[in-house]
């Protein structure tokens, strides 16, 4: 996260994760829609209602939070105690791993292998859980690979969790990029599922920090009480903007989907022409995680940044040093020119 905030930017930024940020004028908002203070003690009712309608979820099962980041923090803090075993996918979005360590848990891992298209293997999870496992952590889509896990597999993971009295935390921040109506969520698969997400990635609305946890009501209640300790109250103007944004999501989704489809074609064409990169191509979403087969990956990233002014996310941040994550959500010119420069850097280092 520190690297993303301080080092990821470049003239040609392919290190993005979601759709490029919108500005206030992209939302139909007037100042009269905003207010500084409102009744948002345990959730601003219009926001909870909008989320409940969109995801077909009981309001009592929804906890709002500042982005998926804080939703993850709340959820994990509410579900585990120091010393509990937490089973986390590898490669993983690093803050999830850091969070589990921060909370003093005993972290174990299960692999999502490139050779297996980064799929989740319920058999491996079953071998890895113990009676001390309290939480299994998954991202869906998977960050970094963008691979989607189907409901059957998730249900199998849910059954494994149930047998040992554990929960499954599914970070669905990229799942919105399926652009379904209603959007699918693992929350509906069983009470062991706790889900986190936000409007951040799919709609270019990161600045709103409109995030949430879906959990069975008893857990949601516990998370609200933890939130009293962590954050007390949210920024009310942000809640109001989030309600307005939720009403406009269909239009924003249309634009985002068109952009991603177009950009995926550009990236596919680039990858088709490279024998020095191997990739799993998820067919949806905003990220891919190619593997560098010939060049020294770190030398490639250095040359790419210093000579070609182009950034990708080095795979070392995902415990996969020969990979890099590339984002499709930026503007078309940056992607086109960034890919051309990536090709030049690969030619030079390969
Ligand atoms: C898997 C995953 N979860 C959470 C986040 C953070 O999301 P938010 O901006 O909603 O806090 C990211 C951002 O890259 C992510 O990749």
């Amino acid at each position: 996260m520190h690297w993303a905030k301080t080092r990821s930017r470049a003239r040609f930024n392919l290190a993005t994760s979601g759709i490029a940020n919108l500005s206030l004028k992209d939302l139909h908002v007037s100042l009269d829609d905003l207010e500084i203070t409102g009744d948002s003690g345990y959730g601003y009712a219009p926001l909870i209602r909008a989320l409940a309608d969109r995801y077909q979820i009981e309001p009592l099962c929804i906890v709002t939070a500042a982005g998926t980041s804080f939703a993850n923090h709340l959820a994990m803090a509410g579900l585990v105690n120091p010393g509990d075993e937490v089973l986390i996918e590898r490669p993983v979005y690093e803050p999830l791993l850091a969070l589990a360590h921060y909370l003093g848990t005993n972290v174990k891992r299960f692999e999502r292998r490139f050779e297996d298209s980064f799929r989740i293997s319920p058999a491996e999870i079953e071998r890895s859980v113990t009676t001390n496992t309290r939480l299994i952590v998954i991202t869906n889509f998977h960050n970094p690979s963008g691979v989607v896990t189907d409901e059957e597999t998730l249900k199998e993971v849910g059954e494994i969790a149930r047998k040992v009295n554990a929960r499954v935390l599914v970070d669905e921040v990229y799942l919105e990029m399926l652009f379904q109506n209603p959007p699918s969520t693992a929350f509906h698969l069983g009470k062991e599922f706790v889900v986190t997400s936000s409007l951040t990635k799919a709609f270019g609305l990161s600045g709103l920090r409109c995030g949430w946890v879906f959990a069975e009501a008893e857990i949601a209640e516990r998370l609200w009480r933890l939130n009293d300790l962590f954050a007390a109250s949210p920024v009310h103007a942000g809640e109001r903007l989030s309600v307005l944004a939720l009403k406009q999501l269909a239009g924003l989704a249309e634009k985002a989907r068109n952009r991603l489809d177009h950009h995926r074609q550009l990236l596919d064409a680039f990858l088709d022409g490279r024998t020095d990169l191997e990739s799993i191509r998820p067919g949806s979403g905003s990220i891919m995680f190619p593997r560098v087969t010939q060049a020294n990956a770190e030398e490639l990233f250095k040359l790419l940044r210093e000579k070609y002014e182009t950034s990708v996310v080095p795979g070392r941040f995902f415990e996969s040093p020969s990979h890099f994550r590339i984002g499709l959500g930026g503007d078309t010119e940056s992607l086109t020119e960034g890919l051309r420069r990536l090709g030049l850097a690969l030619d030079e280092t390969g």
Side-chain angles (χ1 to χ4, degrees), residues 236-256:
H236 183 60
E239 292 179 309
R240 292 218 174 202
L241 277 170
S242 300
V243 173
L244 291 167
L246 278 157
K247 288 188 182 140
Q248 299 172 43
L249 281 192
L252 300 179
E254 178 71 20
K255 285 189 202 138

Side-chain angles (χ1 to χ4, degrees), residues 1 17 66-70 72 93 96 139 141 143 171 173-174 197-201 206 209 325:
M1 185 56 76
S17 56
T68 316
S69 304
F70 194 62
N72 282 335
Y93 172 62
L96 285 167
T139 57
F141 305 174
N143 183 6
D171 176 328
V173 70
Y174 293 92
S197 192
S198 70
L199 298 184
T200 299
K201 303 288 170 199
S206 177
R209 311 311 296 140
R325 200 190 67 190

Side-chain angles (χ1 to χ4, degrees), residues 101-233:
H101 283 299
Y102 176 75
L103 292 170
T105 64
N106 179 10
V107 175
K108 299 209 165 164
R109 312 299 298 278
F110 68 94
E111 303 297 327
R112 301 184 65 159
R113 293 180 182 80
F114 177 79
E115 295 69 20
D116 199 21
S117 302
F118 291 110
R119 270 190 291 263
I120 286 176
S121 157
E124 184 179 339
I125 294 182
E126 186 142 39
R127 282 194 300 275
S128 308
V129 291
T130 74
T131 50
N132 295 326
T133 308
R134 291 286 76 82
L135 192 63
I136 300 169
V137 180
I138 290 168
T139 57
N140 193 27
F141 305 174
H142 180 216
N143 183 6
S145 71
V147 166
V148 186
T149 301
D150 60 55
E151 287 199 348
E152 281 315 305
T153 307
L154 287 169
K155 277 189 203 156
E156 283 183 59
V157 177
E159 275 161 32
I160 297 165
R162 194 177 325 134
K163 281 191 215 147
V164 294
N165 197 22
R167 307 264 171 185
V168 186
L169 175 62
V170 189
D171 176 328
E172 295 185 342
V173 70
Y174 293 92
L175 199 62
E176 287 284 350
M177 290 185 195
L178 288 178
F179 299 115
Q180 291 168 322
N181 195 11
S184 62
T185 165
F187 177 74
H188 295 299
L189 300 181
K191 72 184 185 62
E192 33 301 311
F193 286 92
V194 175
V195 162
T196 55
S197 192
S198 70
L199 298 184
T200 299
K201 303 288 170 199
F203 306 103
L205 295 170
S206 177
L208 283 185
R209 311 311 296 140
C210 178
W212 55 85
V213 184
F214 297 151
E216 65 170 331
E218 194 187 313
I219 296 174
E221 164 71 15
R222 193 185 324 147
L223 301 189
W224 277 123
R225 301 301 288 270
L226 260 181
N227 191 57
D228 285 343
L229 180 67
F230 291 148
S233 317

Side-chain angles (χ1 to χ4, degrees), residues 328-348:
L328 302 176
D331 65 79
T332 307
E333 293 71 38
S334 290
L335 181 67
T336 309
E337 183 55 20
L339 288 177
R340 193 184 72 79
R341 287 168 182 243
L342 174 58
L344 293 173
L346 278 162
D347 291 342
E348 217 168 304

